[in-house]
């Protein structure tokens, strides 16, 4: 999702929501949802990035300091430092870091693809090893999203485009007036500037289904859709696009999905994750958290 730090954007948004004065959509962190992995990442208020692997009660491993974004995908971990350097590691949690790009404002991972948006708004993607060559995808980009063989962008004017296949495939315009795009499998989701969340399933020209209004964050993973309302309520549905919503948690500033896992970050900085059905019990993961990500 479109990257802005929680402390600078979402925390302020939820404060306004609690006061009943939030209108329209707010930005949420990028790349916080996964596709069924067993890794959990947290970015602490100190700027330290931690990752755990395995069960919900596994031990945390400190990965990096001075971080403003953390992203997970399979056995890859990516961080974006406060000075705009994107680094990625592959393999175990103690693997070596590889510097990928400097002057970066957003990092995205999916499978063997790595994407960045530079400070100047250029979206680049590489495919293969960590030292593969970059391909310039688009200019004037404010958000980049990767999933499988699909790439999605939101342009500075709010147009959302998606391509499918190789890195040089053609773009298809999906929607306008978009503040966030999310991809998962054959699903595409957009969050409109008026707070409307829409999702389509199938080909790039499939029809949109309106999912929820007054939304500040939209997340997709497999057959689950999650939304965060401007009032801080996290809801998730499972199955078809018209399935019923289940209210998961209140006083939330961020939601993340991955397979049968759901994660939330509360306004008090508590990261909680549940595994299994939509009514499973929550497990407290860490305090003083500013961003939560699932692989």
């Amino acid at each position: 999702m479109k990257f802005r730090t929680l402390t600078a954007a979402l925390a302020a948004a939820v404060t306004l929501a609690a006061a009943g004065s939030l209108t329209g959509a707010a930005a949420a962190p990028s790349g916080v949802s996964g596709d069924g992995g067993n890794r959990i990442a947290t970015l602490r208020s100190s700027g330290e990035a931690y990752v755990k692997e395995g069960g919900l009660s596994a031990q945390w491993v400190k990965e990096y300091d001075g971080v403003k974004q953390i992203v997970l995908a399979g056995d890859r971990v990516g961080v974006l430092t406060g000075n705009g350097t994107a680094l990625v590691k592959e393999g175990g949690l103690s693997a070596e870091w590889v510097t990928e790009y400097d002057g970066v404002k957003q990092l995205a991972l999916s499978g063997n693809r790595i994407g960045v948006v530079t400070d100047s708004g250029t979206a680049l993607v590489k495919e293969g090893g960590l030292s593969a060559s970059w391909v310039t995808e688009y200019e004037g980009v404010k958000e980049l999203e990767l999933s499988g063989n699909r790439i999605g962008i939101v342009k500075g004017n709010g147009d959302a485009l998606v391509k499918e296949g190789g890195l040089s495939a053609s773009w298809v315009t999906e929607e306008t007036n978009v503040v966030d795009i999310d991809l998962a499998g054959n699903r595409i989701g957009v969050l409109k500037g008026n707070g409307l969340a829409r999702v389509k399933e199938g080909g790039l020209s499939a029809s949109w289904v309106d999912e929820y209004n007054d939304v500040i964050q939209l997340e997709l993973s497999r057959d689950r859709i999650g939304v965060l309302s401007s009032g801080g309520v996290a809801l998730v549905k499972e199955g078809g696009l018209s399935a019923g919503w289940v209210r998961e948690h209140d006083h939330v500033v961020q939601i993340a999905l991955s397979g049968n896992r759901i994660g939330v970050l509360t306004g008090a900085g508590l990261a909680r994750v549940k595994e299994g059905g939509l009514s499973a019990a929550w497990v407290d993961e860490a305090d003083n958290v500013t961003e939560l990500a699932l692989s």
Side-chain angles (χ1 to χ4, degrees), residues 104-164:
V104 174
K105 65 180 181 180
Q106 186 210 335
L107 172 66
L109 302 178
S110 178
N112 69 342
R113 288 182 171 181
I114 302 171
V116 295
V117 179
T118 70
D119 290 335
S120 63
T122 301
L124 304 102
V125 179
K126 61 167 60 180
E127 186 173 43
L130 299 185
S131 300
S133 299
W134 292 101
V135 175
T136 299
E137 294 291 340
Y138 217 92
E139 305 284 351
V141 173
K142 63 180 181 180
E143 185 206 351
L144 171 68
E145 180 79 9
L146 305 178
S147 178
N149 70 343
R150 287 182 170 180
I151 303 172
I153 60 167
V154 179
K155 296 168 57 177
N157 66 359
D159 289 347
L161 299 88
V162 178
K163 63 166 60 181
E164 185 173 43

Side-chain angles (χ1 to χ4, degrees), residues 87-111:
L87 304 99
V88 179
K89 62 166 58 180
E90 185 173 43
L93 297 184
S94 300
E96 295 296 319
W97 291 101
V98 175
T99 299
E100 295 291 341
Y101 215 88
D102 292 314
V104 174
K105 65 180 181 180
Q106 186 210 335
L107 172 66
L109 302 178
S110 178

Side-chain angles (χ1 to χ4, degrees), residues 115-233:
V116 295
V117 179
T118 70
D119 290 335
S120 63
T122 301
L124 304 102
V125 179
K126 61 167 60 180
E127 186 173 43
L130 299 185
S131 300
S133 299
W134 292 101
V135 175
T136 299
E137 294 291 340
Y138 217 92
E139 305 284 351
V141 173
K142 63 180 181 180
E143 185 206 351
L144 171 68
E145 180 79 9
L146 305 178
S147 178
N149 70 343
R150 287 182 170 180
I151 303 172
I153 60 167
V154 179
K155 296 168 57 177
N157 66 359
D159 289 347
L161 299 88
V162 178
K163 63 166 60 181
E164 185 173 43
L167 298 185
S168 300
S170 298
W171 291 101
V172 175
T173 300
E174 295 290 340
E175 182 62 288
T176 59
N177 188 31
V178 172
V179 295
D180 169 60
I181 187 169
D182 202 40
L183 307 177
N186 70 341
R187 288 181 170 181
I188 302 170
V190 293
L191 177 57
K192 303 270 289 179
N194 62 1
L196 172 63
R198 312 185 81 192
V199 179
K200 62 167 60 180
E201 186 173 42
L204 299 185
S205 300
S207 299
W208 290 104
V209 175
D210 293 349
E211 293 292 341
Y212 212 85
N213 285 296
D214 198 25
V215 174
I216 61 172
Q217 186 188 355
L218 169 68
E219 294 296 318
L220 307 179
S221 180
R222 295 187 179 177
D223 68 341
R224 287 183 172 180
I225 303 172
V227 295
L228 176 61
S229 77
S230 66
V233 177

Side-chain angles (χ1 to χ4, degrees), residues 19-31:
S21 59
L22 182 68
T23 58
S30 349

